[in-house]
Amino acid sequence: MNFSYYMAKRYLFTKSKNNAINIITIIASIGVFAGAMALFIVLSGFSGLKEFSLSFSNKFDPDLKVLPKTGKYFSYSEEQQQQLLQIEGIKITSKVIEERVLLNFKDKNVPSSYIKGVDENFLKVNAVDSTLLAGTWLHQDEKQVVVGNGISRKLSIGVAGYGDVLRIFVPKPGKGQVSNPNNAFNAISSMVIGIYSINEDLDNKYVYAPFSLAQNLLELNENEISAIEISLTDTANVDEVRAAIQQIFQQNVLIKDRVQLNDKLYKMLNTENLAVYLIFTLILIIALFNVGGAIVMAILDKQHNIKTLYNLGANIHQIRRVFFLQGTLLTFFGGVLGLAIACVIILLQQQFSLVMITPSLPYPVLFEAKNLMIVFLTIMSLGIIASYIGSTRIKRVIEINS
């Protein structure tokens, strides 16, 4: 660092005697502080809401789901099941049958639900039983079903009511026209022994039933199923497991993970996250105009010192670097302080639930290093740009005073 640059910093970094300039600088610092704090809190809050929303689907969706590439069903032999269990990374598998059905209870109908036939391993893959509001889970040898809370309310049906029989209808497989409507449907009678609640969509969609009951209702062959739901070990290599499964089924199946099973939900959440970030970044840009304005005002306040230093040999680039450094440091310290306060607020919310959505549900927040880096880089990038733009006024001031 040469002498002229050292002298420029010494004279130009001194506190201004003009109170208006000092107030503008303080306002700029507060703007950076508030912007950094607000952006991090909002991103942490949105991350918490995202995790909260996905936690419901995580109870319902498996790590991997094997689906037929064409049609509704595919063949799944005992030999293939044993081969699946031998794949490194697979913990347990469960056979599933799904089909659209019509539900009838007394004089009420629900025409757009799905029956989901599950085997005895299903709860080891998906902990749906943890979402039960009332009743118990299925017994495989009984004509029992577990319905969603939405279906229960639509049909006004409770758990194990005496004489309460839920009728399930499904069109009979076959071709051609139906001459007698009474022969167009297969039907079974069952008892509701449990009511679950996951989210509004799923609560109105699925009726869980024993695997054999769904198989008989749909007149499927012994080895025909709709899907295989798979639970993986913590150390599983998903790509290797996918390749091994495809080899067993000779590339005739589709394999989807949780993200692919909920691709619309993930796209919606990611789009909303991006929109929130862009909106608050726009607010930050407006706030950081104050940084550029503070630098311009400081330049005007120090214009006589700038002229003196220029005449003593300091060049425009060296003087500009001083004000650029001033704006960058103002942004850095304001941003760091804002992030520090925001981190404290987020940690307090996680520990003490300061803000509640309902009396029993705290507002979900999630502390992520990723959000911390995003906010810091955004603040610094915008602050550096504002400082550079503000410091370019040096040349104009020198020309006017020359």
Side-chain angles (χ1 to χ4, degrees), residues 36-208:
M37 182 176 67
L39 181 57
F40 183 72
I41 290 175
V42 168
L43 290 181
S44 298
F46 192 87
S47 295
L49 286 174
K50 181 178 179 180
E51 184 183 58
F52 182 73
S53 300
L54 294 177
S55 66
F56 294 105
S57 64
N58 290 343
K59 292 179 180 178
F60 178 80
D61 295 317
D63 295 326
L64 289 178
K65 189 168 184 176
V66 182
L67 300 161
K69 186 172 287 187
T70 57
K72 294 183 178 180
Y73 310 106
F74 66 100
S75 179
Y76 180 48
S77 66
E78 188 71 26
E79 181 183 355
Q80 289 173 323
Q81 184 175 358
Q82 294 303 319
Q83 289 175 341
L84 276 184
L85 293 174
Q86 291 173 4
I87 297 175
E88 184 178 355
I90 291 182
K91 186 190 301 182
I92 193 77
T93 65
S94 174
K95 297 183 294 184
V96 171
I97 294 174
E98 294 184 28
E99 184 57 87
R100 185 186 291 269
V101 294
L102 182 145
L103 305 177
N104 170 264
F105 177 68
K106 296 182 179 179
D107 58 343
K108 296 182 178 180
N109 298 304
V110 176
S112 57
S113 296
Y114 284 79
I115 189 169
K116 185 165 184 174
V118 297
D119 64 11
E120 62 278 0
N121 293 331
F122 182 74
L123 294 184
K124 298 177 182 178
V125 178
N126 296 308
V128 178
D129 58 334
S130 65
T131 66
L132 289 177
L133 291 178
T136 60
W137 190 248
L138 305 167
H139 297 283
Q140 287 294 319
D141 299 327
E142 303 291 337
K143 289 186 176 181
Q144 302 171 338
V145 294
V146 174
V147 302
N149 189 37
I151 294 174
S152 172
R153 285 188 281 105
K154 287 179 180 179
L155 295 176
S156 301
I157 189 170
V159 174
Y162 181 75
D164 288 349
V165 175
L166 177 66
R167 298 273 289 169
I168 304 177
F169 296 88
V170 65
K172 286 184 177 180
K175 298 180 179 179
Q177 294 182 345
V178 178
S179 58
N180 185 356
N182 295 326
N183 297 326
F185 294 89
N186 288 333
I188 59 168
S189 299
S190 60
M191 177 176 288
V192 176
I193 64 160
I195 298 174
Y196 70 88
S197 178
I198 300 175
N199 60 39
E200 185 177 356
D201 181 47
L202 297 176
D203 291 352
N204 287 289
K205 186 174 182 181
Y206 283 104
V207 175
Y208 290 97

Side-chain angles (χ1 to χ4, degrees), residues 351-375:
Q351 293 295 321
F352 302 106
S353 302
L354 303 176
V355 181
M356 304 291 290
I357 298 177
T358 67
S360 59
L361 179 63
Y363 194 94
V365 293
L366 182 63
F367 185 92
E368 287 186 313
K370 177 183 71 174
N371 289 335
L372 202 63
M373 291 301 299
I374 288 173
V375 175

Side-chain angles (χ1 to χ4, degrees), residues 317-341:
H317 178 69
Q318 290 171 330
I319 299 173
R320 181 187 296 168
R321 281 169 58 191
V322 174
F323 289 100
F324 175 77
L325 179 61
Q326 180 182 3
T328 302
L329 289 176
L330 187 150
T331 303
F332 176 80
F333 287 112
V336 169
L337 182 59
L339 285 174
I341 300 298

Side-chain angles (χ1 to χ4, degrees), residues 256-271:
K256 296 186 177 182
D257 56 23
R258 281 199 181 105
V259 176
Q260 292 167 326
L261 289 169
N262 298 282
D263 54 344
K264 292 181 180 179
L265 176 61
Y266 276 87
K267 286 179 182 178
M268 180 191 71
L269 291 174
N270 290 334
T271 302

